[in-house]
Structures are given as C-alpha cells and as structure tokens.
Amino acid sequence: MRVAIELLYILLGLAVTIALTAAAAWSYPLGRAVIWYCGAGAAAATMLMGIGPLRRAWRIDRGAA
C-alpha cells in the first residue's frame, strides 16, 4: 500500500511539473525551448527524489507481508 502512495506522489509531482512548465512556455513564447528543457530537468529531479522514499516503502511493505 505504501508503494502505491509513493507512486501516486511521484505521478502527482510530474503532473504539476508538466502543468507549470506548459503554462510558463505558453506565457513566454520566446523562451519556450529553454523552459521545456528546464521542465524536463525538474521532472527528472522529481523522479530521482522519489526513488529513496519508494525503496523505503517497498522494504516496509515487503517486511509487513
């Protein structure tokens, strides 16, 4: 169950990142390409930061079973 919650948080973070990046790229067309690169970096960071809690949740779930 904890793994599902952590995956939900990661997906929610990615959705927010994409939404903010899209809004920023829409509002500043001259910097659209750079904004999308920064958004991709933020999405990668979101996924990387979620690995630790995801592994911890997996170990807890596996130990509880």
Side-chain angles (χ1 to χ4, degrees):
M1 182 66 180
R2 288 176 175 89
V3 172
I5 292 170
E6 289 299 331
L7 286 174
L8 178 68
Y9 282 142
I10 292 171
L11 292 176
L12 190 61
L14 290 174
V16 169
T17 300
I18 291 170
L20 288 174
T21 302
W26 171 81
S27 68
Y28 189 65
L30 293 175
R32 183 175 298 155
V34 174
I35 290 170
W36 278 109
Y37 284 127
C38 291
T46 300
M47 289 187 290
L48 288 174
M49 288 188 304
I51 290 174
L54 187 62
R55 290 179 65 203
R56 195 169 25 256
W58 182 69
R59 275 189 251 128
I60 291 170
D61 280 352
R62 190 177 66 173

XYZ file of all heavy atoms in Angstrom:
481
model
N 0.819 -1.194 0.000
C 0.000 0.000 0.000
C 0.866 1.262 0.000
O 0.558 2.230 -0.655
C -0.921 -0.039 1.223
C -1.862 1.118 1.307
S -3.016 1.043 -0.052
C -3.975 2.457 0.271
N 1.960 1.230 0.776
C 2.842 2.396 0.835
C 3.485 2.676 -0.518
O 3.698 3.828 -0.881
C 3.913 2.188 1.895
C 3.383 2.274 3.304
C 4.488 1.971 4.297
N 4.067 2.154 5.661
C 3.517 1.213 6.407
N 3.330 0.012 5.905
N 3.155 1.466 7.642
N 3.798 1.630 -1.253
C 4.407 1.797 -2.573
C 3.437 2.524 -3.501
O 3.835 3.427 -4.248
C 4.824 0.432 -3.165
C 5.283 0.581 -4.599
C 5.920 -0.194 -2.316
N 2.183 2.151 -3.447
C 1.179 2.806 -4.288
C 1.060 4.293 -3.942
O 0.924 5.139 -4.833
C -0.176 2.110 -4.127
N 1.140 4.609 -2.657
C 1.055 6.010 -2.240
C 2.263 6.788 -2.746
O 2.131 7.908 -3.260
C 0.921 6.105 -0.708
C -0.428 5.545 -0.276
C 1.096 7.539 -0.224
C -0.573 5.365 1.225
N 3.454 6.210 -2.625
C 4.660 6.892 -3.104
C 4.614 7.083 -4.618
O 5.005 8.124 -5.128
C 5.912 6.114 -2.709
C 6.218 6.150 -1.236
C 6.479 7.547 -0.699
O 6.953 8.417 -1.455
O 6.209 7.771 0.489
N 4.132 6.072 -5.347
C 3.995 6.217 -6.799
C 2.991 7.313 -7.149
O 3.198 8.072 -8.107
C 3.569 4.888 -7.427
C 4.652 3.828 -7.516
C 4.050 2.512 -8.011
C 5.776 4.277 -8.423
N 1.927 7.398 -6.375
C 0.939 8.449 -6.586
C 1.566 9.825 -6.391
O 1.333 10.742 -7.183
C -0.247 8.263 -5.643
C -1.336 9.332 -5.723
C -2.057 9.250 -7.056
C -2.308 9.172 -4.579
N 2.389 9.980 -5.351
C 3.060 11.257 -5.108
C 4.011 11.612 -6.245
O 4.096 12.771 -6.661
C 3.827 11.225 -3.787
C 2.966 11.383 -2.568
C 3.235 10.664 -1.421
C 1.884 12.245 -2.552
C 2.456 10.799 -0.289
C 1.094 12.381 -1.429
C 1.383 11.664 -0.292
O 0.616 11.805 0.823
N 4.739 10.633 -6.756
C 5.651 10.888 -7.864
C 4.866 11.315 -9.097
O 5.212 12.289 -9.772
C 6.523 9.653 -8.158
C 7.505 9.417 -7.002
C 7.287 9.821 -9.467
C 8.258 8.110 -7.087
N 3.797 10.603 -9.406
C 2.980 10.952 -10.571
C 2.325 12.318 -10.413
O 2.243 13.090 -11.375
C 1.922 9.871 -10.814
C 2.455 8.528 -11.278
C 1.311 7.516 -11.380
C 3.155 8.663 -12.617
N 1.895 12.620 -9.214
C 1.303 13.935 -8.958
C 2.348 15.036 -9.135
O 2.062 16.088 -9.718
C 0.712 13.967 -7.550
C -0.150 15.165 -7.185
C -1.364 15.241 -8.097
C -0.586 15.057 -5.733
N 3.546 14.803 -8.654
C 4.627 15.766 -8.840
C 4.957 15.976 -10.304
O 5.199 17.108 -10.747
N 4.961 14.900 -11.074
C 5.215 15.023 -12.513
C 4.092 15.788 -13.216
O 4.356 16.601 -14.102
C 5.389 13.643 -13.145
C 6.669 12.904 -12.767
C 6.647 11.498 -13.346
C 7.884 13.664 -13.236
N 2.865 15.538 -12.819
C 1.735 16.243 -13.428
C 1.808 17.740 -13.144
O 1.585 18.567 -14.046
C 0.416 15.669 -12.915
N 2.147 18.092 -11.918
C 2.274 19.510 -11.563
C 3.439 20.143 -12.322
O 3.332 21.272 -12.826
C 2.439 19.672 -10.036
C 2.827 21.093 -9.669
C 1.166 19.266 -9.328
N 4.542 19.422 -12.438
C 5.698 19.933 -13.172
C 5.351 20.202 -14.626
O 5.692 21.255 -15.176
C 6.863 18.927 -13.086
O 7.207 18.734 -11.720
C 8.070 19.412 -13.846
N 4.658 19.271 -15.247
C 4.275 19.440 -16.648
C 3.295 20.601 -16.804
O 3.412 21.406 -17.738
C 3.698 18.130 -17.215
C 4.810 17.089 -17.319
C 3.039 18.352 -18.568
C 4.328 15.689 -17.633
N 2.351 20.715 -15.890
C 1.376 21.804 -15.974
C 2.049 23.170 -15.818
O 1.756 24.105 -16.582
C 0.295 21.624 -14.906
N 2.941 23.290 -14.853
C 3.637 24.563 -14.659
C 4.559 24.890 -15.828
O 4.659 26.046 -16.252
C 4.428 24.539 -13.354
C 3.608 24.596 -12.078
C 4.497 24.410 -10.863
C 2.849 25.905 -11.992
N 5.224 23.873 -16.356
C 6.104 24.088 -17.500
C 5.300 24.511 -18.722
O 5.697 25.427 -19.453
C 6.903 22.808 -17.806
O 7.648 22.447 -16.642
C 7.849 23.013 -18.966
N 4.176 23.875 -18.941
C 3.326 24.245 -20.078
C 2.803 25.670 -19.934
O 2.780 26.429 -20.907
C 2.165 23.262 -20.207
N 2.406 26.047 -18.725
C 1.916 27.410 -18.506
C 3.028 28.429 -18.719
O 2.802 29.487 -19.322
C 1.345 27.536 -17.095
N 4.223 28.111 -18.248
C 5.342 29.028 -18.428
C 5.727 29.148 -19.902
O 6.000 30.246 -20.391
C 6.540 28.567 -17.608
N 5.740 28.021 -20.618
C 6.081 28.058 -22.042
C 5.021 28.800 -22.839
O 5.338 29.506 -23.808
C 6.240 26.631 -22.575
N 3.775 28.676 -22.448
C 2.707 29.395 -23.132
C 2.818 30.908 -22.902
O 2.612 31.701 -23.810
C 1.352 28.901 -22.634
C 0.210 29.734 -23.118
C -0.395 29.650 -24.333
C -0.441 30.793 -22.397
N -1.387 30.595 -24.412
C -1.434 31.309 -23.244
C -0.266 31.336 -21.136
C -2.256 32.351 -22.849
C -1.088 32.368 -20.751
C -2.076 32.867 -21.605
N 3.172 31.278 -21.667
C 3.190 32.701 -21.334
C 4.438 33.414 -21.851
O 4.435 34.634 -21.953
C 3.087 32.899 -19.820
O 4.258 32.427 -19.190
N 5.490 32.693 -22.174
C 6.715 33.320 -22.673
C 7.207 32.543 -23.895
O 8.107 31.709 -23.808
C 7.782 33.349 -21.576
C 8.985 34.171 -21.944
C 8.889 35.541 -22.141
C 10.223 33.575 -22.119
C 9.980 36.293 -22.489
C 11.334 34.314 -22.463
C 11.202 35.679 -22.644
O 12.296 36.425 -22.996
N 6.605 32.796 -25.059
C 6.928 32.024 -26.268
C 8.394 32.127 -26.710
O 8.922 31.188 -27.283
C 6.008 32.610 -27.335
C 4.979 33.386 -26.616
C 5.539 33.754 -25.296
N 9.053 33.242 -26.434
C 10.445 33.383 -26.860
C 11.374 32.404 -26.140
O 12.404 32.008 -26.687
C 10.933 34.818 -26.617
C 10.260 35.895 -27.469
C 10.746 37.278 -27.051
C 10.540 35.663 -28.940
N 11.023 32.022 -24.951
C 11.863 31.106 -24.188
C 11.300 29.707 -24.096
O 11.693 28.937 -23.221
N 10.396 29.382 -24.997
C 9.688 28.102 -24.928
C 10.630 26.902 -24.852
O 10.461 26.023 -24.013
C 8.760 27.975 -26.128
C 7.933 26.716 -26.117
C 6.945 26.696 -27.239
N 6.039 27.841 -27.038
C 5.362 28.431 -28.009
N 5.469 28.001 -29.237
N 4.578 29.445 -27.755
N 11.648 26.868 -25.722
C 12.548 25.704 -25.754
C 13.317 25.571 -24.440
O 13.424 24.475 -23.879
C 13.510 25.816 -26.928
N 13.836 26.683 -23.938
C 14.599 26.646 -22.693
C 13.699 26.247 -21.527
O 14.106 25.474 -20.645
C 15.259 28.019 -22.429
C 15.927 28.048 -21.074
C 16.249 28.346 -23.520
N 12.483 26.753 -21.524
C 11.545 26.426 -20.456
C 11.247 24.929 -20.454
O 11.200 24.295 -19.393
C 10.256 27.261 -20.588
C 10.566 28.725 -20.265
C 9.155 26.724 -19.680
C 9.438 29.687 -20.583
N 11.063 24.335 -21.625
C 10.787 22.894 -21.671
C 11.994 22.075 -21.225
O 11.849 21.023 -20.602
C 10.305 22.471 -23.060
C 8.855 22.746 -23.245
C 8.297 23.698 -24.034
C 7.757 22.095 -22.590
N 6.927 23.671 -23.924
C 6.572 22.695 -23.043
C 7.670 21.063 -21.662
C 5.316 22.294 -22.593
C 6.417 20.661 -21.221
C 5.260 21.278 -21.687
N 13.220 22.550 -21.538
C 14.410 21.853 -21.037
C 14.477 21.914 -19.516
O 14.805 20.926 -18.857
C 15.694 22.434 -21.643
C 15.934 22.025 -23.069
C 16.166 22.963 -24.063
C 15.945 20.672 -23.427
C 16.396 22.578 -25.370
C 16.167 20.281 -24.730
C 16.396 21.238 -25.703
O 16.609 20.857 -26.989
N 14.180 23.075 -18.965
C 14.171 23.206 -17.501
C 13.073 22.347 -16.886
O 13.267 21.742 -15.826
C 13.971 24.670 -17.109
S 15.380 25.707 -17.507
N 11.928 22.280 -17.537
C 10.842 21.425 -17.057
C 11.224 19.955 -17.088
O 10.883 19.196 -16.179
N 11.957 19.560 -18.131
C 12.419 18.169 -18.206
C 13.399 17.871 -17.077
O 13.362 16.793 -16.472
C 13.066 17.901 -19.557
N 14.254 18.831 -16.770
C 15.181 18.664 -15.649
C 14.442 18.561 -14.324
O 14.800 17.749 -13.463
N 13.407 19.370 -14.158
C 12.608 19.316 -12.931
C 11.870 17.982 -12.824
O 11.746 17.420 -11.735
C 11.624 20.476 -12.892
N 11.380 17.472 -13.943
C 10.699 16.176 -13.938
C 11.681 15.058 -13.573
O 11.351 14.162 -12.789
C 10.055 15.901 -15.292
N 12.885 15.129 -14.122
C 13.905 14.126 -13.789
C 14.261 14.204 -12.308
O 14.407 13.170 -11.638
C 15.140 14.319 -14.650
N 14.404 15.412 -11.772
C 14.717 15.582 -10.354
C 13.590 15.042 -9.485
O 13.842 14.424 -8.441
C 14.970 17.056 -10.050
N 12.350 15.256 -9.911
C 11.206 14.738 -9.160
C 11.251 13.212 -9.079
O 11.023 12.630 -8.022
C 9.885 15.192 -9.813
O 9.838 16.621 -9.810
C 8.682 14.643 -9.082
N 11.572 12.587 -10.204
C 11.651 11.128 -10.206
C 12.823 10.633 -9.365
O 12.690 9.669 -8.613
C 11.756 10.606 -11.632
C 10.466 10.756 -12.406
S 10.475 9.967 -14.019
C 11.596 11.006 -14.913
N 13.967 11.304 -9.476
C 15.133 10.884 -8.704
C 14.913 11.059 -7.203
O 15.339 10.207 -6.407
C 16.367 11.662 -9.147
C 16.933 11.292 -10.510
C 18.069 12.240 -10.890
C 17.413 9.857 -10.524
N 14.252 12.131 -6.808
C 13.993 12.338 -5.389
C 12.974 11.345 -4.838
O 12.918 11.113 -3.633
C 13.502 13.766 -5.137
C 14.596 14.801 -5.285
S 14.119 16.457 -4.767
C 12.691 16.783 -5.768
N 12.166 10.760 -5.707
C 11.167 9.794 -5.266
C 11.709 8.387 -5.106
O 11.048 7.527 -4.520
N 12.920 8.132 -5.583
C 13.470 6.775 -5.529
C 13.697 6.319 -4.095
O 13.335 5.201 -3.720
C 14.768 6.678 -6.362
C 14.433 6.783 -7.838
C 15.508 5.379 -6.069
C 15.650 6.834 -8.743
N 14.286 7.179 -3.272
C 14.573 6.807 -1.879
C 13.311 6.453 -1.096
O 13.222 5.361 -0.512
N 12.314 7.342 -1.065
C 11.080 7.001 -0.355
C 10.366 5.778 -0.947
O 9.763 4.994 -0.215
C 10.222 8.256 -0.511
C 11.188 9.356 -0.728
C 12.322 8.743 -1.483
N 10.464 5.609 -2.266
C 9.836 4.450 -2.902
C 10.505 3.156 -2.464
O 9.822 2.182 -2.143
C 9.892 4.602 -4.423
C 9.140 3.578 -5.244
C 7.652 3.632 -4.940
C 9.379 3.823 -6.723
N 11.830 3.152 -2.406
C 12.547 1.953 -1.953
C 12.248 1.656 -0.489
O 12.061 0.503 -0.098
C 14.046 2.124 -2.160
C 14.444 2.115 -3.629
C 15.910 2.303 -3.812
N 16.620 1.154 -3.252
C 17.881 1.195 -2.859
N 18.572 2.295 -2.948
N 18.444 0.112 -2.377
N 12.183 2.702 0.333
C 11.882 2.522 1.754
C 10.473 1.954 1.927
O 10.255 1.037 2.718
C 12.029 3.867 2.466
C 12.089 3.784 3.943
C 12.502 5.079 4.637
N 12.252 6.322 3.912
C 13.185 7.036 3.279
N 14.434 6.613 3.258
N 12.870 8.157 2.669
N 9.522 2.475 1.176
C 8.147 1.985 1.254
C 8.064 0.535 0.780
O 7.326 -0.274 1.358
C 7.226 2.864 0.412
N 8.834 0.190 -0.240
C 8.835 -1.179 -0.747
C 9.370 -2.145 0.306
O 8.820 -3.223 0.515
C 9.673 -1.247 -2.023
C 9.695 -2.618 -2.643
C 8.660 -3.267 -3.239
C 10.809 -3.505 -2.682
N 9.075 -4.505 -3.662
C 10.391 -4.671 -3.340
C 12.121 -3.410 -2.249
C 11.244 -5.735 -3.554
C 12.962 -4.483 -2.468
C 12.516 -5.634 -3.112
N 10.452 -1.740 1.002
C 11.002 -2.596 2.050
C 10.011 -2.770 3.206
O 9.886 -3.856 3.754
C 12.321 -2.011 2.577
C 13.487 -2.426 1.723
C 14.792 -2.020 2.367
N 15.323 -0.915 1.549
C 15.715 0.251 2.014
N 15.701 0.501 3.295
N 16.165 1.165 1.195
N 9.327 -1.701 3.571
C 8.352 -1.781 4.660
C 7.191 -2.689 4.261
O 6.754 -3.544 5.030
C 7.836 -0.374 5.059
C 8.952 0.413 5.733
C 6.625 -0.469 5.972
C 8.631 1.872 5.935
N 6.683 -2.512 3.038
C 5.579 -3.358 2.562
C 5.998 -4.818 2.469
O 5.227 -5.713 2.805
C 5.071 -2.877 1.209
C 4.137 -1.682 1.325
O 3.758 -1.327 2.458
O 3.799 -1.087 0.275
N 7.204 -5.060 2.014
C 7.672 -6.437 1.874
C 7.872 -7.077 3.237
O 7.577 -8.255 3.433
C 8.986 -6.471 1.085
C 9.414 -7.856 0.703
C 10.651 -7.823 -0.115
N 11.746 -7.321 0.732
C 13.010 -7.291 0.364
N 13.341 -7.684 -0.838
N 13.927 -6.834 1.173
N 8.325 -6.301 4.209
C 8.527 -6.836 5.561
C 7.204 -7.084 6.282
O 7.110 -7.967 7.124
N 6.177 -6.331 5.935
C 4.869 -6.485 6.582
C 4.109 -7.689 6.049
O 3.205 -8.194 6.699
C 4.037 -5.214 6.399
N 4.462 -8.160 4.871
C 3.714 -9.260 4.259
C 4.054 -10.616 4.819
O 4.792 -10.896 5.640
C 3.986 -9.296 2.741
